[in-house]
Amino acid sequence: MQFLDVINFSFPLLASTPETADSSMVLAAVLLSLVVIYFASKVGGELSNRIGLPPVLGELVGGVVVGVSVLHLLVFPEGGADSSSSLIMVFLQTTAGLTPEAAPQVFAAQSEVISVLSELGVIILLFEIGLESNLKDLMAVGIQATIVAVVGVVVPFAAGTVGLMTLFGIGAVPAIFAGAALTATSIGITSKVLAEIGKLNSKEGQIILGAAVIDDVLGIIVLAVVASLAKDGAVDVGKVIYLIISATAFLLGAIVLGNVFNKTFVAIANQLKTRGELVIPAFIFAFVMAYLAAIIQLEAILGAFAAGLVLEETDKRKELQKQVIPVADLMVPIFFVTVGAKTDLGVLNPAIPSNREGLIMAIFLITVAIIGKVITGLSVFGQPQINRLAIGVGMIPRGEVGLVFAGVGAASGVLSKSLGAAIIMMVILTTFLAPPLLRFVFPDSQKVATDSEQLIQD
Amino acid sequence: MQFLDVINFSFPLLASTPETADSSMVLAAVLLSLVVIYFASKVGGELSNRIGLPPVLGELVGGVVVGVSVLHLLVFPEGGADSSSSLIMVFLQTTAGLTPEAAPQVFAAQSEVISVLSELGVIILLFEIGLESNLKDLMAVGIQATIVAVVGVVVPFAAGTVGLMTLFGIGAVPAIFAGAALTATSIGITSKVLAEIGKLNSKEGQIILGAAVIDDVLGIIVLAVVASLAKDGAVDVGKVIYLIISATAFLLGAIVLGNVFNKTFVAIANQLKTRGELVIPAFIFAFVMAYLAAIIQLEAILGAFAAGLVLEETDKRKELQKQVIPVADLMVPIFFVTVGAKTDLGVLNPAIPSNREGLIMAIFLITVAIIGKVITGLSVFGQPQINRLAIGVGMIPRGEVGLVFAGVGAASGVLSKSLGAAIIMMVILTTFLAPPLLRFVFPDSQKVATDSEQLIQD
């Protein structure tokens, strides 16, 4: 008893102030949440990698496991959870002497902090993607890849949005959001599988990769537009035009001005002599751009992406990429795990009759996601010998950008629980299906696989 | 007007939920705060470096400039500030369409997030210090340095605490806190100056550095004990003994168990194949240790420091240090700038008569800080030829650990505003004074300076 009394002394780090939550308890809750997030992301990511799937999918599934769907370790008030349903809060009450009266405030503060960290995580993710996207490469992929990319955005978007509105009676804004989530193509997964089957440098492989890169940029513009509509809750054609123009102008403007700012940035970084001489100016730039993009009604991540594109053009590129990697390693999993944790897959449980509609919606989205991209392959022209089916199939996996849509959509509150879960299921399943389908549509891939897999192993 | 209307549309990232602060506004406020923090830290750090002072001092002063003392960009509710006195909130209202009604909630959430980020920053700082402290070196500095370190902790602590209680009638707990802040010695500043005057490898230099390292460890133990007392608000001798024993046991236990866990950690990291294979397990370990230290009533930073010490013993040390650097570069300035921003130096303005007592306290603390360490030099025995005065003077600068005391003390609420400001002034002035004093007490340093400064330049 004596011992337990000592353990149950209230938490000593900082004294509580009356008006806000006890900050030592908030810190303890944040520390525990981060431990849960990192553990889930690493276990999920590693298992996913072992079975040949992208780690990010495992991080998402890890988030689903620790979140509201299964373990209830990491839950958020938006999902209707309160402090008593959070296992972390229960754990704090038993180990750190958190009182039941203080728990709701600590829970709210912890959720706020983890949500902001997760948003900073996706900002850093897009900054890193920008840093790794070479503008000249993007312009060099040619007209063929551009057409494939545009068709690959338009077809699934139109089919998904119209289908949801007409077949399921979903409102315009959530339908557009779900449609937009269908547009992305994951570069990572496709390029990994293409490398494994020795098709990375084939004509098909080059078109797929070029289109996937352009898709990412188009997807980010679409997201910026759609998220802005979500805020208003209604679609106003004038505003859509304003948003599309401003998003495109923002990206192009950033790139043009960036060519001037480039040299200034390098000159500043070269003048600095104290620690962080490169990352601090880079993050100031990224955060300012994120803020600017946000206040002109676009997405913060569009600004971070543009900042990455600009800095990729500098001589400091390689050094900066290297330093951003550990920061991204620590921040990005917070985003993916949080997206998973916030997704209530229980709403798709087929045993409950009222879930049937959500399930049918998920099946519809998955079908559109696959067929929409396969049709896209047919848009390749003037190349009679090319494997068009393979190009379409190569664009099926949605990956990170699809998850960014799901995360932003869920946070915006416009998606119903079942529609949100259906989008997550669509992202997971398209990503699972792509590797075996790709192997299937490249009939001559079998033999090469063993050779090149050797190469990839080390 | 039309244009302004568009700009003033409410912020579009995420729709607001009724019960919590608009999360898009919170994100915007956090982004702006981070831009201000990074800007202040870099300008301050670089200027400080140019005039030969440690960058961390400039980051602190940068924080003072943007904080409650001068510019009011970064203010916190603990200091009695509300949203209308925060320039960042005013800026959000003009640029991002934040409504005055929503401002208090956004302000509270932003302050909460920045405070937690700053606490994570000091946890990562101590983790990094641990990662760079070699246990074997620590044990090898010998009995001479250990005695100097212990005397250097006990004398200023006792003189400061007793002086504040008897001369100024300060309560036991705040007096002990201020006394504890007098114990630290900054390794960084002293070693830099010693290198500049070519005395790093002199007998005096070796004793100073050894003592400074041990001082850091003793200081962290003292802080853990003192912060725990601050929570209760009263001094209970039994509890002090419990805390001293548990803090020491925690550190020693972590080191002993760490020798076993070492190999497990390396084995786990070697098994992992996906990104973050080293930083993620390392941060899981650091955060778990921080949590454990916190719930046995010690400080979270003691756990992070112990985690760093343990991982320093592994083969992954070098690789891990390299990856932690950019993370620390981004997180640690948040702590130092926040400490500066929360410090109201206005309470020491000599023009206001009621401030006189605070000013006299600051002068008293600075005097004790200098004399206490100079006396410490006299404790060196059996070395008739040694420059004892130089050893004492070499231990005067307080640096980072002193600031950690000030930050934790201010957050705990036990320090009055004037006592908190007096501690910050003490840290700043001892750090400013040390380099010229050191040059003065090493009379033969002048000639060497020019030679070795050449070496240090590149």
Side-chain angles (χ1 to χ4, degrees):
Chain A
M1 276 317 256
Q2 200 70 26
F3 178 72
L4 274 181
D5 277 0
V6 171
I7 295 292
N8 275 327
F9 261 139
S10 57
F11 201 76
L13 181 67
L14 303 167
S16 59
T17 42
E19 72 277 10
T20 54
D22 179 344
S23 64
S24 65
M25 280 296 167
V26 175
L27 178 64
V30 169
L31 285 174
L32 272 188
S33 306
L34 289 176
V35 168
V36 167
I37 286 171
Y38 288 152
F39 198 75
S41 80
K42 216 74 213 97
V43 171
E46 287 291 326
L47 288 179
S48 189
N49 190 48
R50 300 281 145 114
I51 56 173
L53 287 168
V56 62
L57 200 64
E59 295 183 7
L60 177 76
V61 175
V64 171
V65 171
V66 297
V68 64
S69 298
V70 188
L71 292 181
H72 278 263
L73 275 161
L74 198 66
V75 292
F76 291 86
E78 301 98 283
D82 63 13
S83 58
S84 62
S85 63
S86 159
L87 276 194
I88 284 183
M89 289 300 133
V90 174
F91 190 73
L92 276 174
Q93 290 185 23
T94 34
T95 62
L98 175 66
T99 58
E101 299 76 43
Q105 271 192 319
V106 172
F107 176 65
Q110 170 243 24
S111 304
E112 182 79 73
V113 172
I114 296 294
S115 293
V116 171
L117 286 178
S118 135
E119 290 175 75
L120 290 176
V122 69
I123 286 174
I124 291 169
L125 171 68
L126 270 284
F127 179 57
E128 200 193 11
I129 293 177
L131 260 184
E132 285 165 0
S133 308
N134 188 293
L135 270 181
K136 295 188 189 74
D137 289 357
L138 224 103
M139 288 165 188
V141 288
I143 191 91
Q144 197 73 261
T146 311
I147 292 174
V148 172
V150 172
V151 175
V153 165
V154 171
V155 172
F157 177 69
T161 306
V162 173
L164 284 174
M165 287 176 73
T166 54
L167 301 178
F168 298 92
I170 302 281
V173 172
I176 288 177
F177 220 118
L182 291 167
T183 62
T185 301
S186 162
I187 311 176
I189 296 157
T190 298
S191 62
K192 187 161 165 277
V193 176
L194 287 174
E196 278 174 15
I197 61 178
K199 290 285 176 192
L200 197 56
N201 292 314
S202 67
K203 197 143 203 134
E204 290 88 353
Q206 288 299 302
I207 292 179
I208 293 173
L209 290 190
V213 171
I214 299 174
D215 245 19
D216 265 5
V217 179
L218 293 177
I220 292 164
I221 294 177
V222 170
L223 179 61
V225 173
V226 169
S228 188
L229 295 178
K231 174 75 187 173
D232 289 0
V235 182
D236 164 354
V237 177
K239 196 174 170 208
V240 171
I241 294 169
Y242 159 78
L243 288 169
I244 291 176
I245 293 173
S246 64
T248 315
F250 183 87
L251 259 192
L252 292 179
I255 291 164
V256 171
L257 288 178
N259 271 321
V260 184
F261 174 70
N262 260 347
K263 290 184 180 54
T264 321
F265 179 82
V266 174
I268 291 173
N270 281 335
Q271 284 299 311
L272 302 180
K273 306 283 177 220
T274 57
R275 275 187 58 169
E277 75 284 355
L278 192 55
V279 275
I280 295 274
F283 273 79
I284 289 179
F285 181 55
F287 289 165
V288 167
M289 292 290 281
Y291 182 77
L292 287 180
I295 61 169
I296 60 168
Q297 300 196 69
L298 299 168
E299 275 288 287
I301 54 173
L302 181 73
F305 177 70
L309 279 181
V310 168
L311 295 184
E312 198 276 337
E313 297 288 297
T314 66
D315 302 339
K316 299 278 178 192
R317 177 181 62 243
K318 287 241 177 277
E319 210 182 322
L320 185 56
Q321 281 171 355
K322 218 195 268 171
Q323 294 190 28
V324 169
I325 285 173
V327 179
D329 286 349
L330 286 171
M331 293 299 292
V332 177
I334 304 178
F335 173 72
F336 288 122
V337 171
T338 302
V339 169
K342 285 183 174 173
T343 306
D344 187 0
L345 286 190
V347 299
L348 295 183
N349 180 357
I352 300 164
S354 64
N355 290 347
R356 298 277 150 81
E357 196 183 323
L359 262 179
I360 296 170
M361 246 175 354
I363 293 166
F364 170 77
L365 283 180
I366 293 162
T367 313
V368 172
I370 293 174
I371 294 177
K373 292 289 185 183
V374 170
I375 290 174
T376 301
L378 304 181
S379 70
V380 178
F381 62 93
Q383 310 238 14
Q385 296 226 299
I386 212 159
N387 188 340
R388 294 177 183 183
L389 184 62
I391 291 179
V393 169
M395 296 180 66
I396 288 177
R398 295 306 190 275
E400 301 88 316
V401 181
L403 289 182
V404 172
F405 272 89
V408 175
S412 75
V414 290
L415 299 178
S416 67
K417 274 190 181 187
S418 56
L419 188 52
I423 293 175
I424 295 277
M425 283 307 296
M426 181 276 292
V427 173
I428 293 179
L429 274 175
T430 54
T431 312
F432 266 106
L433 286 175
L437 283 178
L438 255 180
R439 284 199 173 80
F440 181 74
V441 295
F442 274 118
D444 52 339
S445 66
Q446 216 51 45
K447 218 195 106 285
V448 199
T450 35
D451 301 356
S452 68
E453 254 168 357
Q454 291 283 312
L455 272 172
I456 286 169
Q457 291 298 310
D458 44 25
Chain B
M1 276 316 257
Q2 200 69 26
F3 177 72
L4 274 180
D5 276 2
V6 170
I7 294 291
N8 275 328
F9 262 139
S10 57
F11 200 76
L13 182 68
L14 303 166
S16 60
T17 42
E19 72 279 7
T20 53
D22 180 343
S23 64
S24 66
M25 281 296 167
V26 175
L27 178 64
V30 169
L31 286 175
L32 272 188
S33 308
L34 289 176
V35 169
V36 167
I37 287 171
Y38 288 152
F39 198 76
S41 80
K42 217 75 213 97
V43 171
E46 287 290 327
L47 288 180
S48 190
N49 190 49
R50 300 280 145 115
I51 56 172
L53 287 168
V56 62
L57 200 63
E59 296 182 7
L60 177 76
V61 175
V64 171
V65 172
V66 297
V68 65
S69 298
V70 188
L71 292 180
H72 277 265
L73 276 161
L74 199 67
V75 293
F76 291 86
E78 302 97 281
D82 63 12
S83 59
S84 62
S85 63
S86 159
L87 277 194
I88 284 183
M89 289 300 132
V90 174
F91 190 74
L92 276 174
Q93 290 185 25
T94 33
T95 62
L98 175 66
T99 58
E101 299 76 43
Q105 272 191 317
V106 172
F107 176 65
Q110 170 241 26
S111 303
E112 182 79 75
V113 171
I114 296 294
S115 293
V116 171
L117 285 178
S118 135
E119 290 176 76
L120 290 176
V122 68
I123 286 175
I124 290 169
L125 172 68
L126 270 284
F127 179 57
E128 201 194 11
I129 293 178
L131 260 184
E132 285 166 359
S133 310
N134 189 294
L135 269 180
K136 293 186 190 76
D137 289 357
L138 225 102
M139 287 167 188
V141 286
I143 191 93
Q144 197 73 264
T146 312
I147 291 174
V148 172
V150 172
V151 175
V153 165
V154 171
V155 172
F157 177 69
T161 307
V162 173
L164 284 174
M165 287 175 72
T166 54
L167 301 179
F168 299 91
I170 302 281
V173 171
I176 288 177
F177 220 117
L182 292 167
T183 61
T185 302
S186 163
I187 310 176
I189 296 157
T190 298
S191 63
K192 189 162 162 277
V193 176
L194 287 174
E196 278 174 14
I197 60 177
K199 290 285 177 190
L200 198 57
N201 292 314
S202 67
K203 197 143 203 135
E204 290 88 355
Q206 288 299 303
I207 291 179
I208 294 173
L209 290 189
V213 171
I214 299 173
D215 244 19
D216 264 4
V217 179
L218 292 178
I220 292 164
I221 294 177
V222 170
L223 178 60
V225 172
V226 170
S228 189
L229 294 179
K231 175 73 186 174
D232 289 1
V235 182
D236 163 352
V237 177
K239 199 175 168 207
V240 172
I241 294 169
Y242 159 79
L243 288 169
I244 292 176
I245 293 174
S246 64
T248 315
F250 184 86
L251 259 192
L252 292 179
I255 291 163
V256 171
L257 288 178
N259 271 321
V260 184
F261 173 73
N262 260 348
K263 292 185 179 52
T264 321
F265 178 82
V266 174
I268 291 173
N270 281 335
Q271 283 300 309
L272 301 180
K273 306 284 177 219
T274 57
R275 275 187 58 169
E277 76 283 355
L278 192 55
V279 276
I280 295 274
F283 273 80
I284 290 179
F285 181 55
F287 288 165
V288 167
M289 292 291 280
Y291 182 78
L292 287 180
I295 63 170
I296 60 168
Q297 301 196 66
L298 300 168
E299 275 288 287
I301 54 172
L302 181 72
F305 178 70
L309 279 181
V310 168
L311 295 184
E312 198 278 336
E313 297 288 296
T314 66
D315 302 338
K316 297 278 179 192
R317 178 182 59 243
K318 286 239 176 280
E319 210 181 322
L320 186 57
Q321 281 172 354
K322 218 195 270 170
Q323 294 189 27
V324 170
I325 285 175
V327 179
D329 286 348
L330 286 170
M331 294 298 294
V332 176
I334 305 178
F335 173 73
F336 288 122
V337 173
T338 303
V339 169
K342 285 182 176 174
T343 305
D344 187 0
L345 286 190
V347 299
L348 295 185
N349 180 356
I352 300 165
S354 64
N355 289 347
R356 298 276 151 83
E357 196 183 324
L359 263 178
I360 296 171
M361 250 182 340
I363 293 166
F364 170 77
L365 283 180
I366 293 163
T367 313
V368 172
I370 294 175
I371 296 179
K373 292 288 186 184
V374 171
I375 289 174
T376 301
L378 304 181
S379 68
V380 179
F381 62 92
Q383 311 239 15
Q385 297 225 298
I386 212 159
N387 188 339
R388 293 178 183 183
L389 184 61
I391 292 179
V393 169
M395 296 180 68
I396 287 177
R398 295 305 189 275
E400 301 89 317
V401 180
L403 289 182
V404 171
F405 271 91
V408 174
S412 75
V414 291
L415 299 179
S416 66
K417 274 189 182 187
S418 55
L419 188 52
I423 293 176
I424 295 276
M425 283 307 296
M426 181 276 293
V427 173
I428 293 178
L429 274 175
T430 54
T431 312
F432 266 106
L433 285 174
L437 283 178
L438 255 180
R439 285 198 173 82
F440 180 74
V441 296
F442 274 118
D444 52 338
S445 65
Q446 216 50 43
K447 217 195 105 285
V448 200
T450 36
D451 301 356
S452 68
E453 252 167 359
Q454 290 285 312
L455 272 170
I456 286 170
Q457 292 300 313
D458 43 26

